């Protein structure tokens, strides 16, 4: 499996707090069948996690990959961010201070949980106009999305891709997110399931149980698409397959 949303890069946000915790998250992910992870620290969050991409982050990622090799953890980490579409986000993306997933055409983007749908759509149109294919992180957690069943079709018709959190499928983010995540999978609107992991203890990167749930509830092919094939296409900057 391949995980395109994971807060495993230590000391940058509310995810892993140390190199040791990052390594433990990677071990846990590998034990659950994950072989590639895109690191996605929160970025461009006003008054909180700015995290403009820089050489320091590249070096940190390199050290973490070296540590995994030394510890014989067969997993590879790639650069990325979870981009909060707030102040000046498009200029920062153009300037390379905000980056896409593994420098592909796919940025992982998030919004305020209570942002109005019109504002979300406007920002996504700006991203698309620049030639990117936005991946909307955990749409099932946004209020506007849970309140309007037509929102999923709207986002897809615009050209957006939708990433569901494994925790939403397990009811960890409340009933509304659970129902919305089920709706996405029931109607084949989902393009990815990712961990959105923050630690090796809670909200972990272990994906095996979520994969098994999707395989048993829907089909093995759909699970493979959401957890393996489509995330791999992002990492390799290829076109996404649709069921």
């Amino acid at each position: 499996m391949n995980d395109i949303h994971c807060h495993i890069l230590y000391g940058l946000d509310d995810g892993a707090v140390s190199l040791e915790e990052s390594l433990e998250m990677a071990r846990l992910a590998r034990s659950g069948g994950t072989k590639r992870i895109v690191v996605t620290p929160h970025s461009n969050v006003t008054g909180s996690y700015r995290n403009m991409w820089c050489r320091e982050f590249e070096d940190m990622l390199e050290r973490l990959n070296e540590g995994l090799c030394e510890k014989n953890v067969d997993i590879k980490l790639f650069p990325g961010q979870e981009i909060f579409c707030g102040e000046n986000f498009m200029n920062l993306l153009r300037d390379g201070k905000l980056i896409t997933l593994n420098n592909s055409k796919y940025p992982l983007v998030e919004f305020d949980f209570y942002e109005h749908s019109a504002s979300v759509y406007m920002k996504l149109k700006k991203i698309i106009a620049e030639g990117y294919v936005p991946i909307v992180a955990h749409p099932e957690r946004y209020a506007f999305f849970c309140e309007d069943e037509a929102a999923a079709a709207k986002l897809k018709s615009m050209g957006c891709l939708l990433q569901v959190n494994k925790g939403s499928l397990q009811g960890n983010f409340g009933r509304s997110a659970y129902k919305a995540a089920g709706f996405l999978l029931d109607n084949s609107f989902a393009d990815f399931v990712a961990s959105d992991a923050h630690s090796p203890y809670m909200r972990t990167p272990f994906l095996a149980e979520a994969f098994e749930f999707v395989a048993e509830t829907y089909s093995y092919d759909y699970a493979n698409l959401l957890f393996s094939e489509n995330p791999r296409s992002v990492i390799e900057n290829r076109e996404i397959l649709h069921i």
Side-chain angles (χ1 to χ4, degrees):
M1 287 183 283
N2 304 290
D3 190 354
I4 60 166
H5 186 174
C6 188
H7 298 266
I8 192 173
L9 199 57
Y10 57 95
L12 296 182
D13 59 9
D14 55 347
V17 299
S18 64
L19 174 59
E20 292 71 24
E21 198 163 284
S22 293
L23 292 171
E24 186 58 32
M25 287 177 71
R27 290 189 196 96
L28 187 59
R30 188 67 192 92
S31 72
T34 299
K35 295 201 71 172
R36 301 178 191 87
I37 295 175
V38 184
V39 304
T40 54
H42 289 292
S43 303
N44 199 42
V45 184
T46 303
S48 181
Y49 307 114
R50 295 297 291 168
N51 286 335
M52 299 295 106
W53 195 260
C54 61
R55 182 64 202 178
E56 179 185 353
F57 294 171
E58 293 280 359
D59 291 343
M60 189 182 300
L61 181 60
E62 184 176 346
R63 287 196 299 272
L64 186 49
N65 271 317
E66 289 173 353
L68 292 170
C69 187
E70 291 170 2
K71 300 291 185 179
N72 295 313
V73 182
D74 182 22
I75 201 165
K76 174 71 174 177
L77 307 182
F78 299 88
Q81 291 172 310
E82 183 178 15
I83 298 170
F84 186 82
C85 293
E87 183 179 353
N88 206 30
F89 76 96
M90 274 309 314
N91 286 333
L92 294 168
L93 186 57
R94 293 188 193 102
D95 293 344
K97 294 178 181 177
L98 298 176
I99 66 168
T100 60
L101 302 181
N102 197 30
N103 300 305
S104 66
K105 62 182 177 181
Y106 301 105
L108 180 70
V109 297
E110 69 168 339
F111 305 89
D112 186 277
F113 287 122
Y114 297 99
E115 189 161 348
H116 193 277
S117 60
S119 174
V120 172
Y121 296 144
M122 178 188 67
K123 291 174 180 178
L124 289 168
K125 286 177 181 177
K126 289 181 179 179
I127 296 170
I128 293 165
E130 293 284 333
Y132 297 105
V133 180
I135 299 174
V136 180
H138 44 62
E140 73 279 1
R141 299 188 65 196
Y142 301 125
F144 84 90
F145 191 91
C146 294
E147 294 165 0
D148 181 12
E149 285 193 347
K154 168 75 172 176
L155 290 170
K156 297 289 286 188
S157 69
M158 290 171 60
C160 300
L161 300 171
L162 307 181
Q163 175 260 303
V164 174
N165 277 7
K166 69 145 186 174
S168 298
L169 297 175
Q170 299 164 335
N172 296 339
F173 298 107
R175 183 167 178 77
S176 293
Y178 175 73
K179 288 178 62 178
F183 175 81
L184 284 167
L185 269 67
D186 289 346
N187 292 277
S188 300
F189 286 131
D191 298 288
F192 317 91
V193 174
S195 71
D196 191 5
H198 281 64
S199 87
Y201 315 112
M202 297 179 65
R203 292 182 68 176
T204 76
F206 187 82
L207 287 174
E209 292 174 351
F211 181 94
E212 290 170 8
F213 167 77
V214 174
E216 292 173 3
T217 306
Y218 300 93
S219 71
Y220 176 85
D221 287 344
Y222 193 29
N224 193 53
L225 188 72
L226 297 177
F227 288 83
S228 297
E229 291 303 319
N230 279 350
R232 183 173 68 183
S233 293
V234 167
I235 292 169
E236 297 175 0
N237 200 27
R238 295 187 286 108
E239 295 300 316
I240 296 299
L241 299 174
H242 300 281
I243 197 163

